[in-house]
Amino acid sequence: MSENTLRHNAKRVLRAQRIETPSWAYGNSGTRFKVFAKAGVPRTPEEKIDDAACVHEFTGVAPSLALHIPWDQVDDYPALARYAESRGIRLGAINPNVFQDNEYRLGSICHPDSAIRAKAVDHLLECVEIGSQTGSGVLSVWLADGTNYLGQDDIRARQDRLAEGLAKVYAAMPEGMRLLLEYKFFEPHFYTMDVPDWGTAFAHCLRLGERAQVLVDTGHHAPGTNIEFLVAVLLREQRLGGFHFNSRNYADDDLMVGAADPFQLFRILHEIHGAGGLAPEAGIEFMLDQCHNLEPSVPALIRSILNVQEATAKALLVDRDALRDAQRDGDVLGAHAVVMDAFSTDVRPLLAEVRQDQGLDPDPLGAFYRSGYQEHIEAERIGGGLGWGA
Amino acid sequence: MSENTLRHNAKRVLRAQRIETPSWAYGNSGTRFKVFAKAGVPRTPEEKIDDAACVHEFTGVAPSLALHIPWDQVDDYPALARYAESRGIRLGAINPNVFQDNEYRLGSICHPDSAIRAKAVDHLLECVEIGSQTGSGVLSVWLADGTNYLGQDDIRARQDRLAEGLAKVYAAMPEGMRLLLEYKFFEPHFYTMDVPDWGTAFAHCLRLGERAQVLVDTGHHAPGTNIEFLVAVLLREQRLGGFHFNSRNYADDDLMVGAADPFQLFRILHEIHGAGGLAPEAGIEFMLDQCHNLEPSVPALIRSILNVQEATAKALLVDRDALRDAQRDGDVLGAHAVVMDAFSTDVRPLLAEVRQDQGLDPDPLGAFYRSGYQEHIEAERIGGGLGWGA
Amino acid sequence: MSENTLRHNAKRVLRAQRIETPSWAYGNSGTRFKVFAKAGVPRTPEEKIDDAACVHEFTGVAPSLALHIPWDQVDDYPALARYAESRGIRLGAINPNVFQDNEYRLGSICHPDSAIRAKAVDHLLECVEIGSQTGSGVLSVWLADGTNYLGQDDIRARQDRLAEGLAKVYAAMPEGMRLLLEYKFFEPHFYTMDVPDWGTAFAHCLRLGERAQVLVDTGHHAPGTNIEFLVAVLLREQRLGGFHFNSRNYADDDLMVGAADPFQLFRILHEIHGAGGLAPEAGIEFMLDQCHNLEPSVPALIRSILNVQEATAKALLVDRDALRDAQRDGDVLGAHAVVMDAFSTDVRPLLAEVRQDQGLDPDPLGAFYRSGYQEHIEAERIGGGLGWGA
Amino acid sequence: MSENTLRHNAKRVLRAQRIETPSWAYGNSGTRFKVFAKAGVPRTPEEKIDDAACVHEFTGVAPSLALHIPWDQVDDYPALARYAESRGIRLGAINPNVFQDNEYRLGSICHPDSAIRAKAVDHLLECVEIGSQTGSGVLSVWLADGTNYLGQDDIRARQDRLAEGLAKVYAAMPEGMRLLLEYKFFEPHFYTMDVPDWGTAFAHCLRLGERAQVLVDTGHHAPGTNIEFLVAVLLREQRLGGFHFNSRNYADDDLMVGAADPFQLFRILHEIHGAGGLAPEAGIEFMLDQCHNLEPSVPALIRSILNVQEATAKALLVDRDALRDAQRDGDVLGAHAVVMDAFSTDVRPLLAEVRQDQGLDPDPLGAFYRSGYQEHIEAERIGGGLGWGA
């Protein structure tokens, strides 16, 4: 394929790409040791929308905001949706929280006590309802359930409870809604997690139905896991619902996506593109899920979006005709070189062109810094979010 | 449950437990750096049968021997089966080898070249036929297929070829045969393995049919993987076919099972027992798959069998009534203590009783050493197996 | 060595063993997701002393309490020491905290700003002074310093600042005080930690002087690290100062020591004993450092102490004469069997004897539960510790 | 710093950079499962020199070849050195092999038997002598010593033997020779390695003397280890002797450097450059140590050298003035951006210029393919290296 054709196609796809930001990334976050308060953090869901709108304004590809319930609880969700619309964005995936009430100490829908399970299911059903009101097509389910000690609870009994709870939620979802089931290797539990890996999430989705799909958080794997491989397998099985992008060196570090391992991000995008997953009709959700413990959130999210865009652009520049030929011939070095050539390319000029074509500043981060937005929110927002997720 | 009842039940189950040894563990093995030759290694499949019979003689629970084709290739398999029978054991799982011919450099049934794929499928079909002749009910499939470099081959295309190849083999299996699909995190390939995790094996088994099940090799996981959890999930999904037991500290170290982590082995057996998997009708195959690089094979295999028996005995001593009560009450420390009490128990006296009940020496390893078998084979077998698997 | 001699020696050593509990383990703890409040947690340093005294009362081997400053800050430390003495225990290691002030966002004594570094050093010097007042011989230094992103700060410049800060503290220590430098693989920073491994801690201790030694927290290593090996190396270099015992499956899980991997705990104790490190004059500090997120603290700490005692007892039962002989002969299976025999032994009866010899209840946990202490503190202590470390 | 200045300096440093190739990488290699024979592999040390000369011809930066004894054993080393010189290269580091004789089953200089230890020391001394004859200034010591099972041998006793053996070798080295001590996390032993980490190697080097330094093989670490951090620490301690470059995803995969993680390679070079380690007088040895299991060796080595050059070029383009300013100001995002800007740059044009300035083809790999060298050796060399290292 000629480089011109590749670049032309790449620009077309890059213009259509959409990346969702999460409301919680605009607030404070931290570790169990300390949440450092940041200046200018939003105090209300509306202020989170303002920040998300700012990110979209400079990047042009982030037109939706994922909500976290109850952190973003309001009385009138349709009104919140209209507020978002007024700022040029829309409300995205609904993320239930069944891990912060004291009753959830031993789990939520996997809890040994049926009353606690019922409470957790009710919250999930409430989130289905909120999603209906906000027009969100995605219920994004992460369960903090697990155990810390051998024997603490019965692994299979918990799986049974899990299946039962998810079935109730799935049954209540309106037709246009999908349930994305997230898995996590460990934390906040350290012996078992009830959905620790993609296999377990996949098995549950198969039993639930076609609108249940696996959500891949790039920070939720055992060391050394080849994430692009399982992405490819899930794509092949048509059970990849989307991503929570972030990056990590050790555990669920929740660093800015592309910061810890830009090559991995490229490899993941390369698999997605290879399977047609960048097409809007593929329905793959690209969402960020990060913790900005040390750095200001709005520019960190802009930077993260640029990182996803750069990885996407590189994946789009892989000469797939040449790659297929080399693979067919068993030319190990040649095939590898085709992909690495794309990775070695500096795609920032290409992305600048894409932005200029859309009337955006070619340098979103520079434009943000020059805009005075950060100074504005730091001056305006006094007394904002003191705790994680608050 | 009273301790007496627990002990009584334990002895009954321990008497019925069966553990298969693998023909290749009787030969030399090593690392890529060196295969150290051992004295007395068998030179023929018949001598491997002799060694397996010796292991069974002293342990009473190892009445079958897994074959590796072509390492154990013979002209007349029924004759080999009769020879085994004459030594008091039978031939077990058939393990094809599609990784040692030069053509398999880039894979076997996932190879980009259809001619190589056909050759590999033919070998698997030959193994089905051998299994029919030897009366083996298990075809144990491990594929060394994978890639070393990004781009080297197409992940999804390889999955398609894999599915196609497995389907041909599955279709050819006689009714009483099961296909156990093994997965492996890495090695001999270092970028992708085509079946790297239980989820991928599970997905393929689902598509193949009910007689396709997952084989868990305890050394084939990412660091930190909770193996007993996935064992429990596979048991719940009725897709756990069996085990290749060994132990590891780092990679696929293939050390004697129970040597590197006896607590893990206990936890796995605890889950198996909890799901009824120790009952013969559950059809879970307990097989060893180890490399005795430094130590003599026969006593190492006896030791490994004792280790599995001890872990099983401890799992059988868990007071499951007390455990269920503590779990129901959310008593974290109490539930944990119930399981740990069983683990802390010295079960060697109990196993000595089990053996004496069966007319065996209560100390199988001591009895072996006293028997002179090792000296005998070291004197008799000159010129044995010079290479790994040879 | 005869079994009787081994048991006799073991009892002698077990009677003399001392294990320090940490004040912070008596309070609430949790993960970044949630700190679940527990009933009966202490509200003051004095109440932590009460709990520690209770642990000592039932175990007989936990006569000291490590302090965390400022969590245990009081106006009058000598008075606090007298209070401890009145309850039958003493104050142990002083643990400075230079990670919870907002100024420490980018580090403490490694911070790029010299004013913050000075503040952190001042706090460490204050802890030296507190240690002098409480009669503590140990300053236990863990620094949360590190960076989250490539480029965030200069690795070597931070090492220079670290060396400079530690040197100031070391110079201020009275003669009988030791500085134990703890390392940690990651958390709360996720790109670099300024003291990530034993090698870095060791290098700094060498430059500081003989009274600077390495502190091994059993949860602070890369996956797969052989902890007993580095313990042996540090013992050989005479730079092992002590332990923060806990256990882990994934990261710094801070589970009860011996719960996640009792075999590892045994292997560590086996190395310590082999090097004479159980002798009081060896000066190895055995301290617990755990987070009881789900379970009540006092019985969890008792359980942890029992776990250390059991691992110690097993290590003491290794027949080292037989082991040395087998090692000398290159008898791999024989040498391994000698150590495993000790591990397989149920040492609970032996420990019950040790306790009865000392006038203690042979079942410390049962005795604690029967004592009513837990009910007492749950009834009395209303409004206790709401946050982690509070 | 202006971009022009950066580029100018970069070109100067890149022209002076030297990367050593290893004789064993030109032969066959593989895993314990299979060594696939490659066409055209060298049959003699002289043919390895020919291949190394070819790599140097096209890259201009690989003027030396590391030897492996006894794989490269010859009767007349000065003659071999003259042959190398006649081909435009020189002989580099001497790599002893004390792991392939049957006697080394339980170790070499750490073996429990003093006769085996003496044999191993003799081999190391022979390598010192060979180094004197070839004019090699580097003795590169990797010991495969370790144990597979708990109890197999005494960890501290092995350390004593190790120290003793190394001291004998160090004492015998001529003044201009350095001993580089390599460490390895695991393999070929799976319970302990006698030099498993940089800390252990560092401790031994300190006791040996100033000409003992640590050798970092980039594939020899625990999962998640921050290699650039320990590189920085070793540089600061002036104990970094050099590198064995390769890349890995899982274990010691020995893939082409820069293939598995080009970002890590960049980060390592960034630290080296920051500490002045790219200057020839710093004495850091840049050596490749790879296994080309699937791909032809000569182009794979050329590719690897290009990868090191690209990582070096990017590290040289980091604007260190801007970086220092951002770090001083605590500007996390800004400092990170400075380094990432360099990484995002496509440095291939710059390297093409460097090559053209030196009269080389700007595309070394293309030039190699066009040269017909591969076809030549495949036609000429019949019956070459059938085994690993042969």
Side-chain angles (χ1 to χ4, degrees), chain A residues 33-246:
Chain A
F33 293 99
K34 172 71 177 172
V35 175
F36 292 103
K38 285 183 288 195
V41 295
R43 297 159 298 183
T44 62
E46 286 79 9
E47 290 185 350
K48 294 178 193 173
I49 289 172
D50 294 346
D51 285 357
C54 172
V55 169
H56 184 49
E57 179 189 342
F58 290 107
T59 62
V61 297
S64 64
L65 177 70
L67 297 187
H68 204 287
I69 307 299
W71 295 344
D72 298 318
Q73 201 156 31
V74 292
D75 290 335
D76 186 343
Y77 288 99
L80 192 72
R82 287 191 300 274
Y83 181 77
E85 204 181 343
S86 78
R87 305 304 314 251
I89 67 167
R90 59 178 184 77
L91 301 181
I94 306 297
N95 292 257
N97 174 325
V98 282
F99 54 85
Q100 287 196 316
D101 282 3
N102 273 321
E103 279 119 325
Y104 296 142
R105 189 174 58 98
L106 301 181
S108 65
I109 66 173
C110 305
H111 197 287
D113 182 334
S114 63
I116 313 280
R117 293 202 297 276
K119 175 186 153 127
V121 168
D122 281 351
H123 177 70
L124 294 172
L125 294 174
E126 182 198 348
C127 286
V128 170
E129 172 57 26
I130 292 171
S132 300
Q133 291 182 30
T134 57
S136 301
V138 169
L139 184 74
S140 175
V141 175
W142 173 63
L143 299 168
D145 291 49
T147 66
N148 272 356
Y149 292 104
L150 170 64
Q152 178 185 324
D153 202 356
D154 186 276
I155 292 174
R156 281 170 309 113
R158 292 180 76 95
Q159 288 293 310
D160 291 341
R161 299 168 202 152
L162 174 63
E164 191 183 22
L166 290 175
K168 286 178 187 162
V169 175
Y170 188 83
M173 292 197 316
E175 216 163 274
M177 193 178 282
R178 283 182 294 160
L179 187 159
L180 304 195
L181 184 57
E182 190 171 351
Y183 57 90
K184 188 173 181 182
F185 186 46
F186 74 93
E187 194 208 27
H189 289 99
F190 304 111
Y191 171 54
T192 57
M193 291 293 284
D194 289 305
V195 191
D197 55 14
W198 78 265
T200 305
F202 174 68
H204 281 281
C205 287
L206 286 183
R207 296 202 184 276
L208 287 172
E210 283 191 1
R211 287 177 296 121
Q213 293 179 309
V214 178
L215 176 66
V216 176
D217 182 299
T218 44
H220 288 190
H221 302 85
T225 300
N226 183 325
I227 299 177
E228 61 268 26
F229 180 90
L230 65 92
V231 163
V233 169
L234 283 169
L235 281 162
R236 188 174 170 275
E237 296 279 347
Q238 307 201 328
R239 290 287 176 169
L240 180 68
F243 291 90
H244 271 182
F245 278 133
N246 53 58

Side-chain angles (χ1 to χ4, degrees), chain A residues 278-319:
Chain A
L278 288 174
E281 62 272 20
I284 313 291
E285 306 290 325
F286 297 94
M287 302 179 280
L288 302 180
D289 180 7
Q290 307 180 154
C291 286
H292 306 296
N293 298 352
L294 304 180
E295 68 278 14
S297 293
V298 176
L301 286 159
I302 293 176
R303 164 108 220 169
S304 303
I305 287 168
L306 306 190
N307 287 351
V308 175
Q309 287 185 300
E310 291 179 24
T312 307
K314 291 180 179 198
L316 287 161
L317 292 185
V318 172
D319 184 341

Side-chain angles (χ1 to χ4, degrees), chain D residues 56-277:
Chain D
H56 183 49
E57 177 189 344
F58 290 108
T59 62
V61 297
S64 65
L65 177 71
L67 297 186
H68 204 288
I69 307 298
W71 297 343
D72 299 317
Q73 202 156 29
V74 292
D75 289 335
D76 186 345
Y77 289 98
L80 193 71
R82 287 191 300 273
Y83 181 77
E85 204 181 343
S86 77
R87 306 303 314 251
I89 66 171
R90 59 179 182 77
L91 302 181
I94 305 298
N95 292 256
N97 175 325
V98 281
F99 55 85
Q100 287 197 316
D101 282 2
N102 273 320
E103 279 119 325
Y104 296 141
R105 189 173 59 96
L106 302 180
S108 65
I109 67 172
C110 304
H111 197 287
D113 182 334
S114 62
I116 314 281
R117 292 201 297 277
K119 174 186 154 128
V121 168
D122 281 351
H123 177 69
L124 294 172
L125 294 175
E126 180 197 348
C127 288
V128 170
E129 172 57 27
I130 292 171
S132 299
Q133 292 182 29
T134 58
S136 303
V138 169
L139 183 74
S140 177
V141 176
W142 173 63
L143 299 168
D145 290 50
T147 65
N148 272 356
Y149 293 103
L150 171 64
Q152 179 185 324
D153 202 356
D154 186 275
I155 294 174
R156 283 171 307 115
R158 292 179 76 95
Q159 288 292 309
D160 291 342
R161 299 169 201 150
L162 173 62
E164 190 182 24
L166 290 174
K168 285 178 188 162
V169 176
Y170 188 84
M173 292 196 316
E175 215 163 275
M177 193 178 282
R178 283 181 294 159
L179 187 160
L180 304 194
L181 184 57
E182 191 171 352
Y183 56 91
K184 188 173 180 183
F185 188 44
F186 73 93
E187 193 205 28
H189 290 99
F190 302 113
Y191 170 54
T192 56
M193 291 293 283
D194 289 305
V195 191
D197 55 13
W198 77 264
T200 305
F202 173 68
H204 281 282
C205 287
L206 286 183
R207 294 201 184 277
L208 287 172
E210 283 191 1
R211 287 177 296 123
Q213 293 180 306
V214 179
L215 177 66
V216 176
D217 182 300
T218 46
H220 288 190
H221 301 87
T225 300
N226 184 326
I227 298 175
E228 62 268 27
F229 180 89
L230 65 92
V231 163
V233 169
L234 283 169
L235 281 162
R236 188 175 170 272
E237 296 280 348
Q238 308 201 327
R239 290 288 175 167
L240 181 69
F243 291 90
H244 271 182
F245 278 132
N246 53 60
S247 73
R248 65 181 286 263
N249 289 299
Y250 304 99
D252 184 30
D253 307 345
D254 276 330
L255 303 174
M256 296 186 297
V257 62
D261 194 344
F263 188 50
Q264 180 185 65
L265 184 60
F266 163 72
R267 299 193 310 264
I268 293 171
L269 266 305
H270 173 64
E271 284 309 319
I272 296 170
H273 176 43

Side-chain angles (χ1 to χ4, degrees), chain B residues 32-33 100 105 252 294, chain D residues 32-33 100 105 252 294:
Chain B
R32 58 176 172 155
F33 293 99
Q100 286 196 317
R105 190 174 57 99
D252 184 31
L294 305 180
Chain D
R32 60 176 171 154
F33 293 100
Q100 287 197 316
R105 189 173 59 96
D252 184 30
L294 305 180

Side-chain angles (χ1 to χ4, degrees), chain C residues 117-314:
Chain C
R117 293 201 296 277
K119 174 187 153 126
V121 169
D122 281 350
H123 177 71
L124 294 172
L125 293 175
E126 183 198 345
C127 288
V128 170
E129 173 55 27
I130 292 170
S132 299
Q133 292 183 29
T134 57
S136 303
V138 169
L139 183 74
S140 175
V141 176
W142 173 63
L143 299 168
D145 289 51
T147 66
N148 272 354
Y149 292 105
L150 171 65
Q152 178 185 324
D153 202 354
D154 186 276
I155 293 173
R156 283 171 308 115
R158 292 179 75 95
Q159 288 293 309
D160 291 341
R161 299 170 202 150
L162 173 62
E164 191 183 22
L166 291 174
K168 286 179 187 162
V169 175
Y170 188 84
M173 291 196 319
E175 216 163 273
M177 192 178 281
R178 283 181 296 159
L179 188 160
L180 303 195
L181 185 57
E182 190 172 352
Y183 57 90
K184 187 174 180 183
F185 187 45
F186 73 93
E187 193 203 27
H189 290 98
F190 304 112
Y191 171 53
T192 56
M193 291 293 283
D194 289 306
V195 191
D197 55 15
W198 78 264
T200 305
F202 174 68
H204 281 282
C205 287
L206 286 183
R207 295 199 184 279
L208 286 172
E210 284 190 0
R211 287 177 296 124
Q213 293 179 307
V214 178
L215 176 66
V216 175
D217 182 299
T218 45
H220 288 190
H221 302 87
T225 300
N226 183 325
I227 299 176
E228 62 268 27
F229 180 89
L230 64 92
V231 163
V233 169
L234 283 169
L235 281 162
R236 188 175 170 274
E237 296 279 347
Q238 308 202 327
R239 289 289 176 167
L240 180 69
F243 291 91
H244 271 183
F245 279 132
N246 53 58
S247 74
R248 67 182 284 264
N249 289 300
Y250 304 99
D252 185 31
D253 306 346
D254 276 329
L255 303 173
M256 296 185 298
V257 60
D261 193 345
F263 187 50
Q264 181 185 64
L265 184 60
F266 163 72
R267 299 193 311 263
I268 293 171
L269 267 304
H270 173 64
E271 284 308 320
I272 296 170
H273 176 44
L278 288 174
E281 62 272 20
I284 313 291
E285 307 289 327
F286 297 94
M287 303 178 280
L288 302 180
D289 180 6
Q290 308 181 152
C291 286
H292 306 296
N293 298 350
L294 305 179
E295 67 277 13
S297 292
V298 175
L301 286 160
I302 293 175
R303 164 108 220 167
S304 304
I305 287 168
L306 306 191
N307 288 350
V308 174
Q309 286 185 300
E310 291 179 24
T312 307
K314 291 180 178 197

